[in-house]
Amino acid sequence: MEKYLIIQLARFGDILQSKRLISGLSTQPPAEVHLAVDASLVSLAKLIYPDTHVHGLPVHGTHPDPVHLLRHCGTIFKQWQETDFSRVFNLNHSGFNHVLAGLFDPEQVAGYQWRKGQILRGAWPDMVFRLTRHRLTNPLNLMDYWGHFLNPALAPELVNPPARPKGGGVGVAMAGRHARRCLPVPVLVQILTAALHGHPGPIHLLGTETERPAARQLLKALPPVLQTRVCDLTGRTGWRGLIEVVSQLDLLLSPDTGTMHLAAHLGTPVTAFFLSSAWCFETGPYGDGHLVWQAARPCAPCLESQPCDQDTACLRPFTHKAVLSFLASQTSFPDPPAELCLLESSVDEFGLRFTPQLGELPESQERDALRELLSGHCLGKEPRNAAAQRAPAAWMYDEPHWMLEQS
Amino acid sequence: MKSALRILNVLPLYGGSLTVGRYCTTALRQLGHTVEVFEAPEFHDAFCALKNQRISVERLSALENSFLQIVSQTILAKVESFAPDLVLAQAQAPLSRQALQRLRRDKVPTAMWFVEDFRVFPYWKAFARHYDVFAVIQKNPFFDLLRELGQENVLYLPLAADPAFHAPMDLSDVDRRRFGADVSFLGAGYPNRQVAFRQLTSLDFRIWGNDWPADPVLTPCMQRPGERITPEEAVKIFNATKVNLNLHSSIKAEPPVSGGDFVNPRTFELASCAAFQLVDKRSLLPGLFSDREVAVFENMPGMLEAIQHYLTRPAERRTMAERARARVLAEHTYVHRMRDLLDFARQRIGLGEVDAGPAGPPSPLDGLPDDLRHDVRELLKVLNLPESVSFEDLVWAIRQRQGALNDLETSLLFLDEWRKQYVRGQ
């Protein structure tokens, strides 16, 4: 039996965005798939991927004493070395991932490899790293990036079910990890007031204990007619409870969060709000039929780590009356605000794509041409229009690609 | 106790000082320092390939310069990753002036061990002042010349031997026949040697080494002409020979016994092997070996007379050779040289004066329960590290391991990452 190890040490959302790879491996019978995640996400990973062997490592926010860490990690690493993995997928560009690569021969590892103490990036991640230098034209979803570590990758339509309302009301993801990417309470109040107009069912506020104060603030600010329908679940659900709630929703309203990816995983429709550093082409909800409101100012997508000198101007269009009107009626509006675009998700043989429904995004031709190039690259397809790929090919393919064997 | 240092040893692309550089690495590690090596020879083939292109000399020169700048930049990147307390280089190390200036700006101390004859290899004039410490194998007038050029931290640091490698050997009969002779010489075919050795062809005399021009008189004595002799083979030749001739090189044919100043590495290596040697007079030799330890000749008649004398006196040869070995062990190992170099650098440029606290840096063994302590202690032994090594240096040593790591090594690196993320940032 083939045995695989996937090392995914990032956050909640990333575990879900590894699904194309993990499911792709799991559906190659007979296969035994192991998944290494942060210790705090073990129970989530087991719920999402019940057929995998999940290993928890102390990576995020946990502070074990060094002795405990050495013992705990030592036991897991020994077990890994005794397991004859035919392939190890080392997904994240982090110091933890780099040292874990040291356990294996470089030839065994896809992603980040270790050769005599030197970290090496495989050909595919190296190419994708190049893409992210100009994020505006980057058409590649993270799910597809990791999914295409497999050749052939799992068919995109098999990753997540199409979005379909479940009858359990509306969910509201209160916040994500990056504050600037989230909608502040006053903005959220206006959006919810408009969007929930046509949804008579319960309204579930979702989030961790940290988001409880914001949830209370939101509750107070909502119109009384909505307040009575709110069920504040912030800090009150474990992973299992969250999955149960999200799986029954008609709609999840969310910024770019792990909960949004959970909804996509469960086939729950998402309407997402992407601003600041969030870029739907990279981390939008995966599957058919989700909607994303994408901020499209010239400075977007920005870097979360750098301060915003525009006073988060990309937030303003989200409360434009035309947007609120659309959210209320789901019909087109005559005068959409500039710098905001509504897109709908779908999948094709390469992966996720977003098609503008309202408004426009800059550099769409370049983005499409890059996507065509990547699609041909991963699927081995002949280009439909070679001339259109000349510019992206010149940008993506460098001399080392041309001259040196790519692992 | 002096604290352990992190030292980046920059080897030259090729040549005699490359071997010296490798011995330095071993010695520094024996002294308990954490040593990272820049393996410049790995770049040499690519560099040589430039010369085979049949292109204009101007282009070739520009390309060679660019190539060496890339190599220098690689060294700087290594400095950035390793954060050494000292960058040590041997003669011809590929550190550009620009790179040396950058290191000085970044307050990374540098030391050069210039194991060349300053008269034959004059490029030191452009580079010496860019190093913080400049160690040499000659004294005046070289010292004064260096000071005139602005290099004040000059150290006389003669060559040495590695007694674990350059050691007495019990040879098999086959090796004794293969490598042995009454008289042998191992080295390159410099003009003075070509002239001198023509007088030895009537003896059981063997010449080993490369760069010997075709010479019908010497041809019968040549062993494996043109072939490189490995250091391992050299030790066998030294051990198998009754009288090892050690005639220092000279680019002039006359006089064959040139009477120069510095003492070559072969002198120390022969002595360390407890192999008897007959060496030509050098002005700096008396400070290193006495005539009770090595037999010295001053001219050609003296050399011929000494050969005849010692060939018939095996006991005398053995006694002198054993004394020479003892002298090496007491004073002339690479460990001695590296200790002297670091002491000098501490004194002159304040090397390694960062205060690690009265108890020194915390040991990786601190706070570990017995079973883990045992495992880490075993790992320290394998890595040839003292128990007093800092956790950072242990991590670096693990990162230098070849092949896949084991569970303990990976766990320690994982702990290091965890500390970087959560402890050092606090």
Side-chain angles (χ1 to χ4, degrees):
Chain A
M1 179 188 286
E2 297 290 325
K3 294 174 183 169
Y4 303 104
L5 172 64
I6 298 161
I7 305 174
Q8 171 52 278
L9 300 181
R11 307 280 178 166
F12 173 16
D14 301 275
I15 296 209
L16 288 147
Q17 289 178 97
S18 309
K19 188 179 175 186
R20 189 173 180 191
L21 173 62
I22 296 169
S23 301
L25 289 168
S26 305
T27 52
Q28 294 188 343
E32 183 179 301
V33 180
H34 293 246
L35 174 63
V37 299
D38 176 50
S40 68
L41 298 170
V42 168
S43 52
L44 169 76
K46 283 182 176 171
L47 289 166
I48 304 293
Y49 307 111
D51 297 328
T52 61
H53 301 254
V54 180
H55 308 266
L57 295 171
V59 177
H60 297 301
T62 45
H63 302 276
D65 75 296
V67 172
H68 171 81
L69 186 143
L70 286 176
R71 270 198 210 293
H72 179 75
C73 292
T75 307
I76 292 174
F77 299 160
K78 200 176 183 71
Q79 191 187 329
W80 288 357
Q81 288 197 308
E82 287 164 1
T83 309
D84 185 21
F85 290 118
S86 35
R87 200 91 174 115
V88 176
F89 298 88
N90 194 19
L91 301 186
N92 320 100
H93 180 38
S94 84
F96 292 110
N97 287 75
H98 297 166
V99 300
L100 293 185
L103 280 166
F104 309 100
D105 289 331
E107 291 72 23
Q108 221 179 331
V109 180
Y112 291 90
Q113 305 156 345
W114 169 289
R115 194 184 294 274
K116 298 180 191 172
Q118 173 65 53
I119 297 304
L120 302 172
R121 191 162 47 206
W124 173 237
D126 200 50
M127 191 169 166
V128 173
F129 208 76
R130 188 179 304 262
L131 270 180
T132 59
R133 287 189 310 205
H134 188 51
R135 293 179 58 205
L136 188 60
T137 55
N138 180 10
L140 183 66
N141 188 272
L142 198 50
M143 181 87 88
D144 295 323
Y145 162 48
W146 285 325
H148 282 292
F149 274 98
L150 264 189
N151 186 13
L154 181 68
E157 65 272 19
L158 301 179
V159 177
N160 286 341
R164 186 176 57 81
K166 312 290 177 57
V170 175
V172 180
M174 285 306 298
R177 205 160 53 85
H178 302 287
R180 214 165 67 209
R181 284 188 185 192
C182 301
L183 300 172
V185 168
V187 174
L188 198 51
V189 169
Q190 293 187 61
I191 285 176
L192 292 184
T193 305
L196 299 177
H197 180 76
H199 288 279
I203 302 161
H204 302 280
L205 303 187
L206 304 169
T208 62
E209 187 72 35
T210 318
E211 279 97 40
R212 291 208 77 182
R216 287 200 194 102
Q217 202 185 335
L218 174 70
L219 187 55
K220 278 185 198 163
L222 282 173
V225 66
L226 292 181
Q227 281 182 14
T228 55
R229 290 162 49 196
V230 169
C231 175
D232 182 6
L233 295 175
T234 52
R236 290 179 181 157
T237 54
W239 293 121
R240 190 179 293 278
L242 182 67
I243 290 170
E244 279 170 14
V245 173
V246 173
S247 69
Q248 296 305 315
L249 296 175
D250 293 312
L251 175 67
L252 177 77
L253 299 169
S254 176
D256 184 3
T257 63
T259 308
M260 176 195 77
H261 294 297
L262 179 65
H265 159 74
L266 296 165
T268 295
V270 171
T271 293
F273 304 93
F274 275 49
L275 65 155
S276 177
S277 58
W279 187 236
C280 70
F281 295 94
E282 294 174 346
T283 55
Y286 201 92
D288 272 324
H290 303 289
L291 294 174
V292 177
W293 291 92
Q294 174 67 58
R297 278 180 63 80
C299 54
C302 61
L303 282 176
E304 189 73 22
S305 54
Q306 289 179 0
C308 174
D309 58 4
Q310 309 280 317
D311 195 23
T312 324
C314 57
L315 184 60
R316 282 178 219 140
F318 287 91
T319 51
H320 190 283
K321 61 180 179 184
V323 175
L324 299 177
S325 166
F326 181 87
L327 284 168
S329 63
Q330 296 290 306
T331 55
S332 186
F333 45 85
D335 186 18
E339 303 176 346
L340 191 65
C341 182
L342 176 67
L343 302 107
E344 182 172 7
S345 69
S346 61
V347 293
D348 62 11
E349 60 180 334
F350 174 63
L352 185 68
R353 64 185 315 149
F354 279 98
T355 311
Q357 304 297 304
L358 297 168
E360 285 179 13
L361 286 175
E363 300 196 25
S364 56
Q365 274 189 343
E366 289 84 349
R367 196 164 39 252
D368 289 345
L370 260 176
R371 192 174 192 280
E372 188 70 14
L373 181 83
L374 289 172
S375 175
H377 183 91
C378 292
L379 304 176
K381 288 195 314 182
E382 288 176 24
R384 280 181 295 192
N385 179 355
Q389 294 197 2
R390 194 161 51 198
W395 188 57
M396 289 298 294
Y397 296 145
D398 266 355
E399 277 72 7
H401 295 113
W402 175 244
M403 297 170 188
L404 304 171
E405 187 184 347
Q406 302 294 310
S407 59
Chain B
M1 183 186 151
K2 288 160 189 163
S3 59
L5 299 168
R6 293 165 74 82
I7 299 170
L8 174 63
N9 191 17
V10 181
L11 299 178
L13 289 159
Y14 65 99
S17 51
L18 172 59
T19 318
V20 173
R22 297 203 188 286
Y23 294 134
C24 291
T25 298
T26 308
L28 288 165
R29 286 185 177 142
Q30 284 171 359
L31 285 167
H33 302 295
T34 299
V35 186
E36 172 72 18
V37 180
F38 180 76
E39 282 287 350
E42 291 177 357
F43 293 81
H44 190 228
D45 282 354
F47 182 74
C48 291
L50 294 174
K51 295 184 192 299
N52 300 333
Q53 304 314 311
R54 294 175 289 282
I55 54 180
S56 74
V57 284
E58 293 79 12
R59 294 288 282 168
L60 177 61
S61 172
L63 287 166
E64 286 180 343
N65 271 314
S66 301
F67 185 94
L68 291 177
Q69 288 299 338
I70 287 281
V71 176
S72 269
Q73 290 293 322
T74 313
I75 297 169
L76 291 179
K78 217 163 168 59
V79 168
E80 204 176 291
S81 298
F82 180 55
D85 299 306
L86 175 71
V87 174
L88 172 64
Q90 289 79 37
Q92 294 180 280
L95 271 164
S96 65
R97 277 169 288 194
Q98 197 184 352
L100 288 165
Q101 283 162 1
R102 167 75 184 275
L103 291 173
R104 184 163 284 171
R105 196 195 72 196
D106 292 347
K107 300 192 173 15
V108 179
T110 56
M112 156 61 68
W113 191 7
F114 185 72
V115 292
E116 299 286 345
D117 181 349
F118 78 95
R119 296 179 182 93
V120 175
F121 191 88
Y123 310 104
W124 51 271
K125 293 168 192 165
F127 285 81
R129 71 186 177 86
H130 294 289
Y131 284 91
D132 296 319
V133 169
F134 207 76
V136 298
I137 58 171
Q138 288 153 297
K139 291 184 176 174
N140 265 336
F142 195 18
F143 269 45
D144 288 343
L145 293 171
L146 285 166
R147 287 197 183 106
E148 280 174 35
L149 288 173
Q151 177 52 270
E152 291 295 327
N153 298 319
V154 185
L155 170 69
Y156 170 59
L157 197 68
L159 283 152
D162 176 353
F165 183 76
H166 303 113
M169 234 180 177
D170 285 328
L171 293 172
S172 66
D173 289 344
V174 173
D175 274 350
R176 198 163 285 284
R177 277 197 298 277
R178 191 171 161 211
F179 296 108
D182 279 355
V183 182
S184 289
F185 174 82
L186 167 60
Y190 279 85
N192 66 319
R193 291 169 178 164
Q194 293 168 40
V195 170
F197 295 162
R198 283 184 188 155
Q199 299 185 40
L200 304 180
T201 50
S202 60
L203 300 170
D204 173 22
F205 176 49
R206 293 186 175 190
I207 299 173
W208 305 83
N210 47 15
D211 294 332
W212 285 87
D215 182 336
V217 179
L218 294 179
T219 296
C221 303
M222 296 304 305
Q223 308 298 307
R224 291 160 48 187
E227 259 187 65
R228 183 180 165 270
I229 304 299
T230 67
E232 289 77 10
E233 289 172 325
V235 171
K236 288 183 180 176
I237 292 166
F238 296 162
N239 272 281
T241 298
K242 290 177 185 169
V243 173
N244 286 281
L245 260 186
N246 181 7
L247 178 62
H248 283 72
S249 62
S250 171
I251 50 173
K252 293 178 187 162
E254 295 290 346
V257 181
S258 58
D261 50 4
F262 70 89
V263 175
N264 66 18
R266 196 175 307 105
T267 310
F268 300 94
E269 292 164 5
L270 283 162
S272 183
C273 288
F276 175 78
Q277 67 176 301
L278 197 50
V279 58
D280 55 328
K281 184 177 178 182
R282 309 291 288 179
S283 64
L284 292 170
L285 183 63
L288 301 165
F289 292 100
S290 74
D291 56 9
R292 298 178 69 244
E293 293 155 346
V294 294
V296 182
F297 60 91
E298 296 187 24
N299 49 36
M300 284 306 296
M303 180 179 87
L304 296 170
E305 190 183 324
I307 289 172
Q308 294 305 332
H309 175 88
Y310 286 108
L311 271 179
T312 55
R313 289 171 176 81
E316 203 172 327
R317 291 198 312 260
R318 191 163 51 247
T319 305
M320 289 179 79
E322 282 167 2
R323 285 191 200 122
R325 163 99 178 155
R327 183 74 183 265
V328 167
L329 292 175
E331 294 179 32
H332 300 318
T333 67
Y334 282 101
V335 169
H336 290 108
R337 299 297 182 256
M338 289 300 99
R339 191 181 287 142
D340 290 349
L341 177 68
L342 296 180
D343 283 348
F344 181 81
R346 283 190 183 97
Q347 182 198 334
R348 290 297 184 95
I349 60 171
L351 176 69
E353 279 184 351
V354 176
D355 187 10
S363 160
L365 297 170
D366 289 350
L368 292 182
D370 287 346
D371 58 334
L372 274 176
R373 177 182 288 263
H374 172 266
D375 293 347
V376 174
R377 192 173 272 140
E378 290 302 307
L379 177 61
L380 292 177
K381 275 187 209 160
V382 171
L383 296 172
N384 199 22
L385 293 172
E387 292 191 7
S388 58
V389 70
S390 70
F391 183 76
E392 283 70 21
D393 288 349
L394 169 59
V395 163
W396 192 266
I398 294 172
R399 284 180 183 275
Q400 290 181 314
R401 301 277 278 165
Q402 309 286 309
L405 304 178
N406 67 26
D407 53 313
L408 177 64
E409 291 162 344
T410 311
S411 300
L412 288 163
L413 295 188
F414 200 87
L415 174 61
D416 178 56
E417 289 300 324
W418 184 83
R419 283 162 51 121
K420 278 189 213 160
Q421 197 123 347
Y422 296 112
V423 179
R424 288 173 208 169
Q426 283 172 3

